Amino acid sequence: MPARRRRSSTMLSVNSVGEPNSGALCLSSGVDRNRCTQVALCISLLLGLLLPPPGAMGSNLNCHKTCICASNIVSCSKMNLTAVPAGLPWYAAVLDLSYNGISGLRAEWTIIKLPKLHSLLLSHNSLSFLSTQAFVHIARLRYLDLSSNALRQLDELIFEPLAQLEVLLLYNNHISQIDRSAFVGLSSLQKLYLSQNQVSRFPLELVKERTRLERLSLLDVSSNRLKALPIRELQALPAWIKNGLYFHNNPLDCNCELYSLLAHWNIRQLNSAMDFKDEHTCVLPGPQKAMVRIIDLNGEYMNCSTFAESDEEAYLDQTLILGCDTRHRDMVKTWVTPSNTVVPTAGNQSTVVLPDGSLRISPIRPGDSGLYTCFAVGQSVNETLYVLLRVHNFTLDGAGETLNTGYTTLVGCLASVVLVLVYLYLTPCRCFCCLGHGGRAKAHREDSVRSSALSASPGPDELGARAGLARHVAFIDPKELQGQNGKVGLVNEQEGEGQKSRRKKSDAESISSVFSDTPIVV
């Protein structure tokens, strides 16, 4: 009968270092040694992950003389320190080193990782140097205060390890140079304070479409040395970014574009414009360099056109998208049409709300004109925006055809006027102006016109001269020339001498009848 194996118990002992004693794992010979070794290795790895690193079990920091410790808060403020004290506890969540004389933050300022540290305060020191490796051991930091120091520049990728940082305070330094990649990696940053420095270039890469920090909602560049702003790029920003974009108290050059930008922000009641309304100033051109309020540039200073919100315009059969540009992010938006109908968020209707909260109308119809209302609801605030839409009663292509037709008509009218002027003043000479008949024909024409127009009873000499002409035009009374059946008879030039006196008489009477309606050639 085979002997039964006894159940053996495995006892685990831990040495003084905190590691499992592999020699005491197996006390029974019935247990496979290979399997026992594997179990021991697994336990050693597990304990290595759970226990804090060597040197972090205890703290060498004197919480009674150097700093004040309150649970996970370590306050070393106003202790006349020139360097970060050693032996910081690994469980520290808040570290306050403000109001000291620390001149630099080097890579080895802490030799251990501080995985629970979320707030580091270093304001009011003498910091002039930041190592590129200074933040490697505090990767979970969410609040960093470096204000009121002596920093002069921000190098490339200086804050890259701080992927969870939300607030960064850099105001009241001497920063004049900021590398364009200095803030790369701050994917969680929400507030950045750069005021009261010497910055002369607006950091557009922080807010523009493709390079901006997606969660950044406040950027303070006030009280610097900015002389110009990228106006067009700032106008294109969403309202929730403009609402927290502070640029007051800078020596900006006055111009009407700057006035229009700030006037629009005032109409929208943006915090960045309303909170410091009197500190939005600019420098007038000229030797005086006078400082005036930007909002007053539409008056006597530069006579800028008063800004007014423009309405949306559309043409028939177009596709139009109306934006609900709210001052805050992540708001629930509802649209109401001019007929007081709530627009659905999905479906095949011509009017529908898109996922980003904007309203799409396709195709545009004449009945789509009117005032549209966007109701935006957030966690702490609500907003209401109005958009007035005007629809032109023709398509965009039709508008072009109308313009072309009007232009063609105008050109035709001008051409007609030119032709009339040419006809009146540039008519070619008649046959009697030709060469060979010059002198006598011209004199006769002038005498004939003068006598016809000015003389009611010509003299006998003039009548005799006219009788000697071969052919001329005379106006006579139709009553004297009416023949049979009321027809006008023609007087032939080959009639006898008996008819000659009658022709002269008719000629004389024709001269006195300048305005007769019936011409006759004799």
Side-chain angles (χ1 to χ4, degrees):
M1 188 173 180
R4 296 181 178 178
R5 289 187 178 182
R6 298 180 180 178
R7 292 184 178 179
S8 60
S9 60
T10 301
M11 298 181 62
L12 177 65
S13 64
V14 180
N15 56 20
S16 59
V17 188
E19 297 179 352
N21 190 352
S22 57
L25 283 174
C26 304
L27 300 178
S28 174
S29 59
V31 179
D32 189 3
R33 288 185 176 275
N34 293 331
R35 184 178 179 183
C36 183
T37 303
Q38 295 176 359
V39 173
L41 291 175
C42 292
I43 295 176
S44 298
L45 293 174
L46 181 62
L47 292 176
L49 293 175
L50 293 177
L51 294 176
M57 292 292 292
S59 174
N60 297 327
L61 182 66
N62 191 333
C63 287
H64 297 286
K65 295 182 179 180
T66 308
C67 302
I68 299 175
C69 301
S71 183
N72 58 355
I73 299 176
V74 179
S75 176
C76 307
S77 178
K78 298 181 180 179
M79 295 294 180
N80 296 323
L81 301 177
T82 57
V84 179
L88 295 172
W90 66 275
Y91 54 80
V94 178
L95 177 58
D96 186 1
L97 296 169
S98 60
Y99 292 94
N100 284 291
I102 303 174
S103 60
L105 200 62
R106 304 185 180 276
E108 61 276 6
W109 70 274
T110 175
I111 58 175
I112 63 172
K113 291 184 178 180
L114 302 176
K116 295 188 177 182
L117 188 67
H118 60 74
S119 298
L120 176 59
L121 289 76
L122 281 163
S123 63
H124 296 278
N125 277 276
S126 302
L127 284 176
S128 60
F129 171 76
L130 291 177
S131 172
T132 55
Q133 303 294 321
F135 306 108
V136 172
H137 295 319
I138 52 174
R140 296 185 179 180
L141 201 66
R142 298 198 304 269
Y143 183 92
L144 177 59
D145 186 359
L146 297 172
S147 63
S148 301
N149 280 285
L151 297 174
R152 295 186 178 275
Q153 64 181 22
L154 299 177
D155 298 328
E156 58 180 353
L157 304 176
I158 187 68
F159 301 110
E160 185 181 23
L162 303 177
Q164 300 182 24
L165 190 66
E166 298 177 356
V167 180
L168 177 57
L169 284 73
L170 290 166
Y171 63 85
N172 194 26
N173 276 276
H174 305 288
I175 300 173
S176 59
Q177 298 181 4
I178 301 177
D179 190 88
R180 294 180 184 272
S181 63
F183 302 104
V184 170
L186 299 179
S187 56
S188 301
L189 191 64
Q190 301 177 15
K191 299 179 180 180
L192 175 58
Y193 297 87
L194 284 167
S195 61
Q196 301 180 44
N197 280 284
Q198 300 174 12
V199 179
S200 58
R201 180 188 67 86
F202 184 86
L204 184 61
E205 64 274 5
L206 297 178
V207 294
K208 71 178 182 179
E209 181 66 28
R210 297 183 179 179
T211 61
R212 70 184 177 209
L213 303 177
E214 289 298 328
R215 298 186 60 84
L216 187 65
S217 59
L218 188 148
L219 174 59
D220 186 1
V221 292
S222 61
S223 302
N224 276 279
R225 297 183 178 180
L226 300 177
K227 292 186 177 181
L229 295 175
I231 302 294
R232 295 183 180 179
E233 288 79 2
L234 296 183
Q235 288 174 338
L237 294 177
W240 62 266
I241 292 181
K242 294 186 287 189
N243 189 58
L245 186 55
Y246 294 85
F247 59 85
H248 57 276
N249 199 21
N250 273 284
L252 297 170
D253 294 331
C254 292
N255 55 72
C256 291
E257 290 185 351
L258 181 62
Y259 162 76
S260 297
L261 176 71
L262 193 62
H264 170 67
W265 291 18
N266 276 278
I267 292 176
R268 289 295 313 273
Q269 299 288 307
L270 300 181
N271 294 338
S272 55
M274 303 303 296
D275 293 347
F276 299 92
K277 192 171 185 179
D278 294 332
E279 296 184 33
H280 280 282
T281 57
C282 62
V283 181
L284 287 174
Q288 300 296 331
K289 301 295 183 182
M291 298 284 292
V292 298
R293 294 199 315 165
I294 299 176
I295 202 66
D296 294 334
L297 292 180
N298 65 328
E300 58 181 339
Y301 297 113
M302 297 193 72
N303 198 23
C304 297
S305 300
T306 303
F307 180 83
E309 292 283 2
S310 59
D311 302 331
E312 291 286 344
E313 295 186 358
Y315 299 91
L316 297 180
D317 297 333
Q318 268 191 324
T319 296
L320 181 65
I321 295 180
L322 302 179
C324 187
D325 196 11
T326 57
R327 294 177 294 173
H328 300 83
R329 301 182 69 182
D330 304 327
M331 303 186 75
V332 180
K333 301 172 183 178
T334 304
W335 283 90
V336 177
T337 64
S339 59
N340 293 327
T341 303
V342 178
V343 181
T345 56
N348 297 324
Q349 295 87 353
S350 60
T351 306
V352 65
V353 179
L354 300 179
D356 62 351
S358 56
L359 181 67
R360 185 185 66 189
I361 308 174
S362 178
I364 294 290
R365 293 289 179 256
D368 293 329
S369 297
L371 185 65
Y372 290 80
T373 308
C374 176
F375 297 99
V377 180
Q379 295 181 353
S380 57
V381 294
N382 299 331
E383 291 186 53
T384 303
L385 279 75
Y386 302 95
V387 181
L388 182 61
L389 175 61
R390 300 181 184 275
V391 178
H392 297 284
N393 197 21
F394 49 82
T395 62
L396 188 59
D397 296 336
E401 293 175 359
T402 303
L403 178 62
N404 293 335
T405 304
Y407 178 75
T408 305
T409 305
L410 178 61
V411 171
C413 292
L414 292 177
S416 301
V417 172
V418 171
L419 292 176
V420 169
L421 294 176
V422 169
Y423 178 78
L424 292 177
Y425 295 101
L426 299 179
T427 304
C429 293
R430 301 183 184 274
C431 60
F432 52 76
C433 297
C434 297
L435 201 60
H437 301 278
R440 192 169 65 183
K442 183 176 181 181
H444 167 71
R445 180 170 176 248
E446 290 178 355
D447 294 340
S448 176
V449 172
R450 187 182 299 111
S451 62
S452 300
L454 301 178
S455 177
S457 301
D461 296 335
E462 194 172 352
L463 288 176
R466 286 185 174 274
L469 291 177
R471 178 184 290 253
H472 65 276
V473 178
F475 295 88
I476 64 176
D477 191 354
K479 296 180 180 180
E480 297 181 0
L481 297 179
Q482 287 181 358
Q484 186 179 3
N485 297 329
K487 294 181 180 180
V488 178
L490 295 178
V491 180
N492 198 328
E493 189 178 3
Q494 280 81 21
E495 290 180 356
E497 294 295 332
Q499 301 289 335
K500 201 169 186 179
S501 60
R502 184 179 178 183
R503 183 169 63 246
K504 291 181 180 181
K505 181 180 179 181
S506 298
D507 196 0
E509 291 178 354
S510 67
I511 294 175
S512 62
S513 303
V514 178
F515 300 101
S516 177
D517 294 334
T518 305
I520 182 170
V521 179
V522 293

